[in-house]
Every structure is written in structure tokens, then in C-alpha cells.
Amino acid sequence: HGRMSHGQSLYQEVVQVPLLFAAPHRIPAGRRLGPASLLDVVPTLADLLGLHLPAGSLDGVSLAGPLTAARPQPVPGRGFLLHLDFEDGTGLALLYGHDKLVLGQRPYRKELFDLAADPGEQRNRLGGPGAAAVVARLGSEMARLYERYTDAALARRAVPIGDELMRKLGALGYVAGRARPDERRIPERISAPDPYPNGLLGWEGAALTTCVRLAERGSEAYLLDGWYGVEAGGRWTAPYGSLALAPPTGGLPSALVLQGANFRPAAVRLRVSVDRRPLIDAALPPGGFRLAAPLRRSLARPLLVEIAADPAFVPSPSGAGDNRSLGIFLATACVLPAAEGGDRYRVGGP
């Protein structure tokens, strides 16, 4: 999937690792149990060694019974939660049977795979027939497992080690160094993602406010699909881009307000929807713009804002040396009281 090394994605080429137990005269040769988790290793070894650990003291399950039984035993189906928190990538995935849901930021990922038909994870089923029901099932199980693990997480302890051991562990990728800040990019509580291919991942709520300034690097917490990096004054979308904003508060009338610039040599048609409902359809001439449209009062969860610009703009034919396929340049996206809404353009909405 275009990434080098390990620990930078949640695809099968990284997470599908062989787990083998060898115990002559105890485990029949050639027995296969199917998928297991790293969480299962300790309880399995404890049972094989005859160690009696308190019930419920470990997150995994023991595979000792199915491994040592005289006849093969089925292992009950369950979900496997995968977690990624890397400097340039954050994500969760849930594997249940042959279905797998992959979510991520930096880069944005929202994918549903059928590993039986597509073991290489090349065909995203999201948006296809029956996909919404599978996403709802896997997404709710993902949220349940994630919150269960974070609720039971142990406090971090500082353990002094020597410089030489620190160097060796750092070379293997198992320590981050002494100065790295301890940040939690995914909050302790999450919800199931929405079923849309470019929509909400389920962990946006805790970080959101009603206004994002796209020139700030912290704006990544709001961005979903289809964005380029920070530039002077804002960011470019791709021809399609999506972001999340906090819903309006206080029950007062509110408006979505977008500010930016059309740096193209000609007009562009901009379409904006909120929670999949069309809100703005405007023809923008070259120059700066401020668009405002009223929002429905009933909105109560993170808002999915989708922005489509037509036609796409590739600057390189104009001699700019830029081969990107661009949409529109945005400086801010805000939910404001309706009284602050209108300015250069006012476009009606639902």
C-alpha cells in the first residue's frame, strides 16, 4: 500500500504475523486455529505452564484448550482491534471474520475490505451494496473494544535504562527517545464512524470547535479526505474535500461560513453539503470570497462538511510547475451565529 517499514499502516502485510506454538506431546502437530491476537500469547502460555492467573486479569483469551484438545475445537468468532499512533499516521482497524474496517488520518483512510475475496486489500467496498450495515456492525464493535481497553489501561511508568540499551531499542523502533511529548491523538471515548466513504471516523468530537483556521497546523484534527498541506493563509482542497466541525450550540440560528480565494484564472463552481444535504451552490469569480448559508437547528453531532470544486485546476499548464489537481483555496471554515453570516455572497440552504 505504498509505505515502507512496519508500524506505519494497519494493512494485512503489516499486521498478519505468523504465531506458532511448539510443545511436543502436548500440542498435536499441524493444528490450525485461525486468527489470534498478541493479547492471547500471555494467557495461552500461562495455561500451558500451569500458572493460575486471576480471572479477568488479562485482555486476551487462552488458546491452550483448542491447541491441546484431542480433537480440533472451533475457536469462537470475535473482533480484533488494531491500533496505530505514529508520527505521521493515526488509525484504528477492526477485523471480524473476513470483514475488515480501516480508519486513519495522515493520510486519511476509510476503507472496508472483504479479505476472503480481496486478501490484498485493493478494493474498497465502502459505499457499495450492503456496506453501510457492515460498517455499522464493525464500527460499533470497534468503539466497544477501544473504550474497554482504554478504560483498563495501566498508568505509564518511567523506567531508567542506560544510554547503550536506549540506543539499541531505539534502532529497533521500540522507544521514542527521551524528549518526545506524550500525546493521545485518538481520545479515550470514540463513536462508530458514519457509513460515507469520505465521512467521519468517529473520534473527531473531542477535538472539534466551531471554527477552523486552515493555515494552522493544528487544523489536521478537523480534516478528513482531500486536503493538501499548509500554505500561506490556508490550504488547497483536492477537487473534493471533507472536514468536520462542531455543531452549533445554544439552539440559536447559525450559519456555515467559508472564506478563501479563487486563485484560478476563471470562475469555479463550488458545491458544499453538510451531513450530505446540499447547502451551497455558487459560481465564484477570481478573487477572495466569503460564503454563508444557514444551518438546520437540529444538528447535534460533529458536522460533515463536503466541498466539491468544478472543474479541477492543474496549475502547471499556466507555467507554475505545479502538477497537483486542485479544488479551492480555503482560509477558514466556521459555524457562526446567523446574524454574522452574510457578506459578499449569501446562498440559501435547507
Side-chain angles (χ1 to χ4, degrees):
H1 287 86
R3 306 207 80 174
M4 298 295 290
S5 187
H6 68 284
Q8 300 187 42
S9 81
L10 296 174
Y11 295 114
Q12 291 298 98
E13 61 263 27
V14 174
V15 303
Q16 183 171 299
V17 180
L19 172 63
L20 295 91
F21 291 91
H25 311 298
R26 294 201 61 193
I27 298 177
R31 176 149 300 173
R32 293 176 177 268
L33 299 185
S37 167
L38 282 174
L39 298 176
D40 303 334
V41 174
V42 171
T44 301
L45 291 176
D47 276 359
L48 291 174
L49 293 170
L51 304 177
H52 301 290
L53 302 177
S57 61
L58 298 172
D59 291 316
V61 301
S62 173
L63 305 173
L67 282 171
T68 59
R71 295 183 178 181
Q73 297 179 358
V75 177
R78 56 190 165 125
F80 296 96
L81 180 69
L82 314 175
H83 173 259
L84 174 67
D85 196 347
F86 193 65
E87 291 177 357
D88 63 346
T90 300
L92 294 173
L94 196 284
L95 175 64
Y96 204 114
H98 57 79
D99 292 318
K100 183 176 178 183
L101 178 64
V102 179
L103 308 175
Q105 286 179 302
R106 303 189 319 274
Y108 177 86
R109 291 284 184 267
K110 194 170 187 183
E111 299 163 309
L112 179 66
F113 299 111
D114 179 351
L115 298 183
D118 178 25
E121 297 168 292
Q122 298 297 311
R123 298 187 295 275
N124 186 3
R125 296 171 53 205
L126 215 61
V134 179
V135 171
R137 175 171 56 85
L138 296 186
S140 61
E141 176 68 1
M142 173 187 286
R144 186 191 71 81
L145 280 176
Y146 179 81
E147 292 180 3
R148 171 188 151 195
Y149 293 145
T150 56
D151 285 346
L154 300 175
R156 177 166 295 185
R157 292 185 298 123
V159 178
I161 61 175
D163 290 340
E164 180 63 14
L165 181 55
M166 172 73 81
R167 185 189 66 78
K168 291 179 178 179
L169 291 174
L172 294 171
Y174 292 117
V175 294
R178 303 181 189 278
R180 182 181 175 184
D182 183 13
E183 297 179 354
R184 180 190 291 274
R185 293 183 175 89
I186 304 176
E188 292 186 6
R189 317 303 292 179
I190 67 173
S191 58
D194 67 33
Y196 308 127
N198 311 96
L200 300 171
L201 300 172
W203 62 74
E204 296 87 357
L208 295 182
T209 66
T210 54
C211 197
V212 56
R213 293 170 176 80
L214 291 151
E216 297 177 355
R217 296 205 173 270
S219 61
E220 280 90 352
Y222 301 76
L223 303 185
L224 300 172
D225 197 17
W227 293 89
Y228 292 101
V230 171
E231 299 182 33
R235 293 175 186 259
W236 281 95
T237 71
Y240 170 91
S242 57
L243 73 154
L245 291 174
T249 59
L252 298 175
S254 58
L256 175 69
V257 180
L258 303 178
Q259 296 187 84
N262 177 12
F263 290 123
R264 303 157 175 255
V268 58
R269 186 176 184 184
L270 194 70
R271 296 185 180 92
V272 180
S273 67
V274 173
D275 289 351
R276 313 296 281 192
R277 294 171 178 259
L279 188 69
I280 293 174
D281 191 337
L284 303 180
F289 65 84
R290 186 178 192 273
L291 296 174
L295 293 169
R296 294 175 292 122
R297 294 193 188 189
S298 59
L299 298 170
R301 58 185 179 81
L303 306 184
L304 172 61
V305 180
E306 297 174 280
I307 303 166
D310 184 42
F313 175 53
V314 179
S316 56
S318 304
D322 187 342
N323 294 315
R324 295 178 299 174
S325 181
L326 304 175
I328 196 69
F329 189 83
L330 279 186
T332 61
C334 299
V335 175
L336 299 176
E340 302 177 23
D343 193 356
R344 185 169 179 181
Y345 294 89
R346 177 172 288 280
V347 184

